[in-house]
Amino acid sequence: MRDTTAITDLSILNNSTQIPTDDIKVRFLDLRVQDAAYRAEIHDAIEQVLLHGRFIMGPEHDEFENAVADFCGTPYAVGVGSGSDALYLSLRALELSSGDEVITTPLTWVATTNAIVLTGATPVFVDITDDYNINADIIEAHITPKTRAILLVHFTGQMCDMNSIMSIAQKHGLNVIEDSAQAFGATYTNKPAGSIGDMGCFSMNPMKVMNGFGEAGAITVKDELTRDRLQSLRYAGTINKENCVTPSINGRLDTIQAAILLVNLQRLSEKIKKRRKLASIYTSALTDIVGTPILHDDRNHVYYSYTINCDDRDALMAHMRADRIETKIQHPFLMPDHDAHKDRFNAEIPVARNLVKRITCIPCHENMNEEDAGYVIDSIKGFYGY
Ligand SMILES: Cc1ncc(COP(=O)(O)O)c(C=O)c1O
């Protein structure tokens, strides 16, 4: 075993930018579209939009909304400009007001917490379990007369314990919003992410498994009234695009992104299959060496990230960087620790506090191959002296 003294240099948090591009052996993500046939499909899709010229709310936009609703098995979907818009607008659709509380997770991208705070409501952080998702067993202890909703996150691409969460919500009359930004295509007892709660919020930015080539997002919805509210809220809170009934943002999705998303949706199942294959290779090789993702038999993981955890995370990342492998901590700051949110909210979150010092994500994407995964495994094994 080698000495694995932890490195505390915070610059490692951005280690993916520190390997000169030409020197990278295994990229954390590879967003280049190198396949010529795929590029041609994208060009065609964009060309159609250029020809009809309806750059906002064009026909591909509506087609995309229908395709998302079909995929998720929900009556409706509403296209929006980003996952952040999806979260903010869905909370606005619940008509939260200041003083309301929303139960949520401390381990996520900050957009989840920001959305709650931007509505004027208060986030109440409930600790996570070893699978990185909110601990359903302790949610009830955090419910107060002010609690209005649960905003959960299917973190890393595996869904939360939805049966438990939905029965708690039903018992206490709470709304449930699924932050499915990382989990398009994931399932829980065969039900797709975004189809179980009142609304499902998706990010489709280029990093996501189901991605556009720019900012993009969608909300899945079950009833017409909420859909109509969201359609108004995503365009300045107007009715008939003119009369503002409640001030809101412009959070619409571009037609060009919708057209690209329709192409990418066709390729999604193949991408997920590749990610699952790589993940299973990692899990077989690494489970006795580092903490590998905890999987649940009733769920299908889409591996937005393959997140490992270990005692000497920073030193391992430095070692992998020396081996020219990009890794990334998603995410290094727990929600209550961001400067914007510090000291404002109480949070008893010991499991999250422990895990956030231990997690890192290793490359797991469709543009790498099994040989690359083998190289990553060898690097990790080398670090631990195997
Ligand atoms: C869990 C989670 N929620 C929300 C978002 C926000 O999505 P967007 O970047 O599209 O605004 C992200 C994006 O990374 C995310 O991972």
Side-chain angles (χ1 to χ4, degrees):
M1 279 284 187
R2 47 168 292 167
D3 174 14
T4 53
T5 312
I7 292 171
T8 50
D9 175 9
L10 272 188
S11 63
I12 201 167
L13 299 179
N14 290 322
N15 82 326
S16 59
T17 57
Q18 292 183 349
I19 308 174
T21 309
D22 289 346
D23 285 349
I24 300 172
K25 170 93 176 137
V26 187
R27 290 173 184 246
F28 181 68
L29 258 185
D30 188 351
L31 300 176
R32 294 170 297 177
V33 181
Q34 293 189 305
D35 177 275
Y38 177 23
R39 262 203 321 278
E41 274 182 66
I42 297 289
H43 283 153
D44 280 355
I46 294 173
E47 173 110 354
Q48 292 312 311
V49 181
L50 294 177
L51 288 172
H52 66 58
R54 293 180 58 195
F55 295 111
I56 295 173
M57 311 304 281
E60 292 83 355
H61 177 275
D62 296 355
E63 205 188 313
F64 165 73
E65 289 188 330
N66 292 334
V68 170
D70 275 358
F71 186 96
C72 294
T74 54
Y76 310 105
V78 175
V80 290
S82 67
S84 303
D85 287 351
L87 290 165
Y88 172 69
L89 295 171
S90 63
L91 289 170
R92 284 288 307 274
L94 296 182
E95 301 190 315
L96 298 179
S97 46
S98 104
D100 288 340
E101 291 177 354
V102 178
I103 285 175
T104 192
T105 173
L107 182 62
T108 176
W109 169 235
V110 72
T112 318
T113 296
N114 285 353
I116 299 170
V117 171
L118 286 169
T119 64
T122 303
V124 173
F125 297 105
V126 169
D127 208 358
I128 56 173
T129 72
D130 288 349
D131 70 0
Y132 309 124
N133 280 333
I134 194 164
N135 185 345
D137 292 343
I138 56 173
I139 286 179
E140 219 162 358
H142 292 78
I143 294 175
T144 74
K146 295 177 181 167
T147 310
R148 284 283 316 277
I150 301 171
L151 173 50
L152 55 86
V153 179
H154 302 311
F155 197 61
T156 73
Q158 181 170 235
M159 289 179 69
C160 298
D161 176 1
M162 291 307 292
N163 275 354
S164 305
I165 293 170
M166 292 310 291
S167 58
I168 294 165
Q170 230 158 14
K171 182 170 155 197
H172 295 273
L174 307 177
N175 290 110
V176 174
I177 296 184
E178 296 173 63
D179 181 341
S180 309
Q182 303 185 357
F184 193 97
T187 59
Y188 173 93
T189 62
N190 294 322
K191 295 183 192 117
S195 70
I196 303 177
D198 297 284
M199 283 172 265
C201 298
F202 296 97
S203 163
M204 292 165 179
N205 73 30
M207 285 178 68
K208 297 300 182 291
V209 187
M210 172 59 213
N211 67 302
F213 294 147
E215 305 284 7
I219 307 169
T220 44
V221 199
K222 290 180 165 161
D223 64 284
E224 218 171 342
L225 177 69
T226 311
R227 181 205 59 186
D228 293 349
R229 238 182 229 168
L230 287 168
Q231 285 177 344
S232 163
L233 285 165
R234 78 173 166 195
Y235 193 50
T238 55
I239 309 181
N240 297 330
K241 298 187 186 166
E242 287 299 344
N243 180 22
C244 173
V245 290
T246 177
S248 188
I249 57 171
N250 179 3
R252 294 188 297 182
L253 172 69
D254 291 338
T255 310
I256 283 182
Q257 283 309 328
I260 291 167
L261 286 159
L262 284 167
V263 174
N264 288 350
L265 186 58
Q266 297 303 315
R267 294 172 170 263
L268 180 69
S269 66
E270 196 52 37
K271 281 172 76 170
I272 293 174
K273 212 162 104 190
K274 283 190 184 161
R275 284 179 183 232
R276 284 196 181 133
K277 176 73 188 159
L278 294 171
S280 76
I281 291 170
Y282 280 149
T283 299
S284 325
L286 296 174
T287 297
D288 294 334
I289 302 172
V290 293
T292 51
I294 291 172
L295 303 178
H296 301 279
D297 290 343
D298 54 3
R299 289 162 235 190
N300 271 327
H301 201 315
V302 292
Y303 295 101
Y304 166 70
S305 66
Y306 189 94
T307 302
I308 59 170
N309 66 81
C310 54
D311 286 340
D312 25 32
R313 182 265 316 267
D314 295 351
L316 173 63
M317 288 175 72
H319 170 86
M320 293 178 76
R321 185 176 50 194
D323 279 346
R324 299 181 294 137
I325 299 166
E326 288 184 311
T327 57
K328 198 171 192 328
I329 302 168
Q330 284 177 328
H331 294 281
F333 294 106
L334 295 175
M335 295 304 100
D337 297 342
H338 281 271
D339 280 351
H341 302 307
K342 219 175 247 173
D343 303 326
R344 293 209 285 163
F345 312 112
N346 291 329
E348 278 289 308
I349 45 172
V351 178
R353 290 225 174 278
N354 177 42
L355 278 173
V356 78
K357 290 184 263 173
R358 300 169 52 83
I359 51 171
T360 189
C361 308
I362 60 177
C364 183
H365 56 83
E366 50 290 340
N367 290 326
M368 59 185 275
N369 56 34
E370 293 179 22
E371 205 179 300
D372 296 325
Y375 183 81
V376 172
I377 290 165
D378 287 348
S379 174
I380 295 173
K381 283 187 168 171
F383 176 74
Y384 287 105
Y386 281 84

